[in-house]
Amino acid sequence: MIPIAVVPVAGLGTRLLPATKSQPKEMLPVAKKPVVQYVVEELEANGVKQILFITGRNKSSIENHFDFDHELMRALREGGKEDLLAELEYERMRMQFFFTRQRRQKGLGDAVLCGQYFTQDTPFVVALGDSIIGLRGESRVVQRMAGIFAAEKASCVIAVEEVPLQSVASYGVVKRGAGLAGGAFVIDDLVEKPTPENAPGNLAIAARYIFGPEIYPALEKTPPGKGGEIQLTDAIRILLEGGKKIVGICLGQGERRYDIGNFESYFEAFIEFALVECPHLASRIRMRNNENH
Ligand code: UTP
């Protein structure tokens, strides 16, 4: 088990404008809960006890969301709305939250570097605050990754998922090497947002990582890459070139990655999660459409 996680939530979310003009994309709802609540609940279920959020301007609602709201609780209790009170149960989770700001949005790699003085020389999880793993966010992949990290004495373990070759340009993509115990494999190479022609395969990095402290000197050495940003993928490549062991593990069944970073995948996630809450919705909408035609 790895008890410390860094959750970067400082990105500008420009692909989701205007929805993200004055609210964090990580706070957009997917059915009943904001994206980042699924991420935090997943981390708690995987043994994480402390989370450092890397935040930015306009992100204070994330801090408020995980704080106790005594006034709201009192109002619900006095109004006899016990059922709604249950919706705030997550506030009681045994998790300590920490916050620091990435002052300039210089990329995911730079955001992770902001966690250096928090994690010091211990291994830590990185979970992107805009990606849910599995319907309802009930994945145990981080636990499996922690086991592999220890067993393989790796410098980094990365969760990956197969994507269609024509969509690799949206992801970091890894090259699969020799197989290891437990379905894991050595990563021989990785590239940030390659073209399908230059991609080393179709295994995309899926928003969950475990790092040892050696990632920090690699990040400090990483020059700006794709989009002028400090790319986490490029720093991992520096580790690889330095002979460090980088290991991949595929998401399992029922552990699809829901990326909330663009409208199409956000809508897809919202609809799927909403249908779990209200399974009758699809037939109701279909019936209404039939009546209108
Ligand atoms: P994205 O790569 O989707 O970037 O971030 P973005 O800036 O949020 O979105 P666009 O491209 O402008 O639409 C992936 C994760 O990394 C965080 C984001 O908050 C998100 O959770 N991130 C990204 C940072 O914390 N800092 C950064 O500088 C960039």
Side-chain angles (χ1 to χ4, degrees):
M1 223 97 86
I2 294 187
I4 297 178
V6 171
V7 177
V9 291
L12 297 175
T14 51
R15 286 170 295 157
L16 291 175
L17 282 169
T20 50
K21 165 86 189 336
S22 61
Q23 66 174 331
K25 73 169 157 181
E26 296 81 5
M27 283 299 290
L28 290 176
V30 175
K32 284 165 86 170
K33 298 188 235 176
V35 180
V36 70
Q37 188 179 333
Y38 292 97
V39 177
V40 168
E41 288 174 350
E42 174 204 325
L43 291 174
E44 192 207 24
N46 280 270
V48 171
K49 307 280 184 222
Q50 296 188 326
I51 291 180
L52 172 67
F53 287 101
I54 312 296
T55 73
R57 234 163 287 127
N58 288 335
K59 302 278 181 170
S60 49
S61 57
I62 297 176
E63 197 167 338
N64 294 337
H65 188 72
F66 292 104
D67 198 8
F68 279 114
D69 188 337
H70 295 288
E71 217 172 300
L72 176 61
M73 278 182 177
R74 197 173 45 240
L76 293 176
R77 203 169 295 119
E78 286 172 5
K81 296 177 176 160
E82 301 298 327
D83 52 332
L84 293 181
L85 212 50
E87 298 292 345
L88 298 181
E89 207 39 50
Y90 74 91
E91 286 182 358
R92 297 182 186 283
M93 76 172 80
R94 286 177 157 273
M95 181 75 84
Q96 250 186 313
F97 297 108
F98 300 82
F99 300 85
T100 191
R101 277 198 180 192
Q102 182 189 23
R103 292 195 181 159
R104 286 174 60 202
Q105 277 55 50
K106 291 192 285 185
L108 177 59
D110 181 69
V112 171
L113 193 51
C114 295
Q116 184 166 18
Y117 290 101
F118 182 75
T119 69
Q120 304 253 350
D121 52 5
T122 56
F124 60 99
V125 177
V126 169
L128 302 196
D130 68 348
S131 290
I132 304 170
I133 307 292
L135 205 53
R136 298 175 192 260
E138 286 172 349
S139 151
R140 290 292 182 275
V141 72
V142 169
Q143 226 168 68
R144 296 203 302 281
M145 291 164 72
I148 292 165
F149 184 84
E152 296 297 336
K153 298 193 172 31
S155 289
C156 165
V157 178
I158 307 176
V160 299
E161 108 180 307
E162 269 188 46
V163 296
L165 193 59
Q166 61 273 24
S167 61
V168 286
S170 308
Y171 305 97
V173 176
V174 311
K175 181 175 178 196
R176 189 186 183 118
L180 299 167
F185 54 87
V186 171
I187 290 179
D188 282 343
D189 196 8
L190 67 173
V191 190
E192 183 62 24
K193 301 189 173 69
T195 59
E197 299 74 45
N198 297 330
N202 69 337
L203 287 177
I205 297 177
R208 300 292 181 268
Y209 311 76
I210 292 178
F211 291 108
E214 52 270 44
I215 190 62
Y216 292 123
L219 280 167
E220 277 163 355
K221 268 189 255 166
T222 305
K226 281 265 155 70
E229 297 190 337
I230 310 287
Q231 298 289 352
L232 186 55
T233 310
D234 294 344
I236 302 170
R237 201 158 195 227
I238 291 178
L239 287 181
L240 201 61
E241 285 163 2
K244 303 287 186 198
K245 191 171 192 182
I246 315 296
V247 175
I249 174 88
C250 287
L251 295 180
Q253 265 208 329
E255 285 185 334
R256 223 188 108 196
R257 173 202 185 168
Y258 294 90
D259 170 15
I260 315 302
N262 64 71
F263 276 118
E264 194 172 326
S265 55
Y266 171 44
F267 292 159
E268 204 179 320
F270 193 102
I271 291 168
E272 267 193 57
F273 280 59
L275 286 175
V276 171
E277 298 290 338
C278 307
H280 56 277
L281 269 185
S283 53
R284 196 195 294 168
I285 292 169
R286 216 174 300 118
M287 253 165 52
R288 202 178 302 138
N289 282 345
N290 288 343
E291 281 165 17
N292 290 341
H293 287 301

